[in-house]
Amino acid sequence: MNGKLCFICGDDDYLVDSAARERINQLVPASDRALGVEIVDGRRDTADEIRCAVDACMESVQTPGFFGAAKVTWFRDVTFLTGSGRVSETVAAKEAVEKLTEWLKKGLLDGQVLILTAGKVLRSSVFFKVCQKQGEVEDFGGGLKSWEREKLADQRLETLAKKAGLVFDTDARTEFLNRVGFDTRSLVQEIEKLRLYVTGRDRVTVADVREITSIGREAEAWDLLDAFGERDALGVLLTLKRLGGQKGVGIMLAAMLEKNVRELLVLREAYDRKWAYGSKGGSCGWNASLPPEAVALLNVLPVNPKSMNAWAMKKKLPHALNYTVQELRVARFRILELREKMVSTSLPEMFLLETALLRIIGNKQMAVAKSRPMRAGAR
């Protein structure tokens, strides 16, 4: 067996882990895996732990298997390689990465096999380039936009459901992704629960999904955006209560809300200027012929709203119509103010979120009546 280096990285830990196990299965016969695979844990926090982990990895690779049998070293979940975060920014982490890089530059000897897994790693880093030159790299990437993650999750759901022998109704498919989110590990776990629940049949309905699947943190966050868009104060409070107690969730939700309000503001402006059309429960879209100033304005935005898929447009435009342009401008100001308070005061995050959102939402009936455009002929 020639020396072999395989580096697998990406934000989706399930896909990274599965790819590593698949490589191990290809390289080591099942009968030899108990003694032929050595796992070195790369999840390290202190300087001494990081140094010891690198040394243990190098020692394992250089130690041959028993009686010449095939051996694979798996340096697993190497947290100090990501290039971001508290651990990877330490001097010890940088020195460890440099030591590992210099060692790999020399190449692995015949019979030495190293599989190394980590989170998202910069493609421009020296370590990444060395792995590309000396071995094989499988990069599952990260930092995808929400619609890209949604598309990938939909594709994986199709594959995972087929493997489990399940067929989702169209509405059940949408409900499943809305509840579970886009994380592959969560998709796998919830599909397995559904498979056991619907024993004796293969078709999955919306009722099945609602009965047995768990709602993930990401799905809860989308529920908050929906409740905000509907100006549903009770829905906002209930969702925040379910999300409470999770470390750092307040900052994450505030960032999501600020982005959502920006999108609603653009849609409301576009509707008022007759660039976009639509209503709740009806068709939504962009008018075919837009004036030059509209095209120029939309093109300079960080994300052109015209690229929004039909499903998102149909969901967000009615939310935008629940607010006036002025209300959305005030909402954005208050959410930016909220983010500043979260890092500058000692008040609980959820209390700050609740009070800020209740001020923005106000009285639904009065606010919605005021924000709806008047019908032709109305006085």
Side-chain angles (χ1 to χ4, degrees):
M1 185 188 299
N2 295 324
K4 184 176 181 65
L5 167 65
C6 181
F7 178 44
I8 306 170
C9 59
D11 283 345
D12 196 316
D13 66 312
Y14 180 85
L15 294 179
V16 171
D17 198 66
S18 297
R21 293 182 186 281
E22 185 178 338
R23 298 302 175 88
I24 290 172
N25 293 342
Q26 293 170 352
L27 293 167
V28 183
S31 57
D32 295 340
R33 284 173 203 156
L35 298 176
V37 179
E38 184 172 355
I39 299 176
V40 179
D41 190 357
R43 290 170 292 188
R44 295 291 183 255
D45 295 323
T46 67
D48 287 341
E49 287 177 344
I50 291 171
R51 282 191 282 266
C52 288
V54 171
D55 290 341
C57 169
M58 294 169 62
E59 181 181 349
S60 173
V61 172
Q62 294 166 352
T63 303
F66 291 104
F67 306 109
K71 179 189 173 182
V72 171
T73 297
W74 181 5
F75 198 10
R76 184 178 182 184
D77 298 338
V78 188
T79 53
F80 54 85
L81 277 177
T82 59
S84 61
R86 181 181 60 82
V87 174
S88 60
E89 291 298 324
T90 62
V91 173
K94 293 176 180 178
E95 290 176 348
V97 173
E98 185 177 346
K99 181 177 181 179
L100 195 59
T101 303
E102 291 301 315
W103 176 61
L104 292 175
K105 278 183 181 178
K106 301 173 185 176
L108 300 181
L109 302 178
D110 288 350
Q112 296 179 349
V113 182
L114 171 61
I115 295 175
L116 197 151
T117 59
K120 182 185 176 184
V121 175
L122 292 175
R123 286 176 167 269
S124 58
S125 67
V126 175
F127 180 83
F128 192 95
K129 292 178 179 178
V130 167
C131 289
Q132 282 184 313
K133 182 178 179 181
Q134 299 293 344
E136 180 183 353
V137 173
E138 189 167 2
D139 183 8
F140 289 99
L144 299 177
K145 297 177 181 177
S146 59
W147 68 267
E148 292 174 318
R149 296 180 63 212
E150 181 182 345
K151 183 178 179 181
L152 284 174
D154 190 58
Q155 293 170 348
R156 286 169 190 156
L157 175 58
E158 180 75 25
T159 302
L160 294 169
K162 186 175 181 180
K163 186 176 180 181
L166 299 177
V167 178
F168 281 75
D169 292 343
T170 302
D171 291 342
R173 186 189 194 90
T174 302
E175 181 73 15
F176 183 86
L177 289 173
N178 285 343
R179 290 173 68 88
V180 177
F182 308 144
D183 178 70
T184 305
R185 190 177 298 280
S186 298
L187 293 176
V188 171
Q189 292 171 346
E190 296 303 320
I191 284 176
E192 177 59 16
K193 286 164 59 177
L194 273 172
R195 186 185 68 80
L196 296 172
Y197 180 73
V198 301
T199 300
R201 56 187 170 92
D202 59 1
R203 187 161 294 278
V204 178
T205 66
V206 171
D208 296 327
V209 173
R210 290 175 178 169
E211 180 68 24
I212 202 66
T213 55
S214 304
I215 298 179
R217 170 171 143 170
E218 185 174 18
E220 293 274 22
W222 288 113
D223 284 347
L224 178 65
L225 298 187
D226 286 342
F228 176 86
E230 294 293 340
R231 302 190 81 142
D232 178 3
L234 179 59
V236 164
L237 294 175
L238 291 175
T239 306
L240 288 177
K241 183 178 181 180
R242 292 196 297 266
L243 284 163
Q246 301 183 48
K247 187 177 180 181
V249 73
I251 295 292
M252 180 201 78
L253 292 175
M256 289 182 68
L257 283 161
E258 194 271 329
K259 178 177 180 293
N260 183 60
V261 169
R262 275 191 283 121
E263 292 176 344
L264 297 184
L265 182 55
V266 171
L267 288 175
R268 181 69 212 219
E269 287 260 21
Y271 183 89
D272 288 350
R273 297 188 186 195
K274 296 183 169 44
W275 298 346
Y277 65 89
S279 61
K280 189 167 185 177
S283 60
C284 299
W286 294 87
N287 290 317
S289 57
L290 293 177
E293 64 271 18
V295 175
L297 176 61
L298 296 175
N299 284 337
V300 298
L301 294 174
V303 178
N304 191 327
K306 286 192 68 179
S307 63
M308 185 181 297
N309 62 57
W311 179 84
M313 180 76 169
K314 193 169 184 178
K315 191 178 185 69
K316 284 183 176 291
L317 185 58
H319 289 175
L321 298 181
N322 282 333
Y323 294 86
T324 64
V325 169
Q326 181 60 23
E327 284 177 325
L328 288 170
R329 287 173 180 164
V330 172
R332 185 160 185 253
F333 170 78
R334 286 183 173 162
I335 292 173
L336 290 172
E337 186 180 51
L338 165 68
R339 294 176 68 176
E340 183 178 343
K341 287 181 179 178
M342 283 182 169
V343 296
S344 61
T345 71
S346 59
L347 292 171
E349 288 184 347
M350 286 304 170
F351 170 76
L352 292 172
L353 267 168
E354 287 179 2
T355 53
L357 293 181
L358 290 177
R359 285 181 69 195
I360 293 169
I361 290 170
N363 183 292
K364 178 178 178 179
Q365 286 73 26
M366 292 177 61
V368 172
K370 182 174 63 174
S371 64
R372 291 292 185 191
M374 293 180 68
R375 291 176 295 181
R379 291 183 181 273

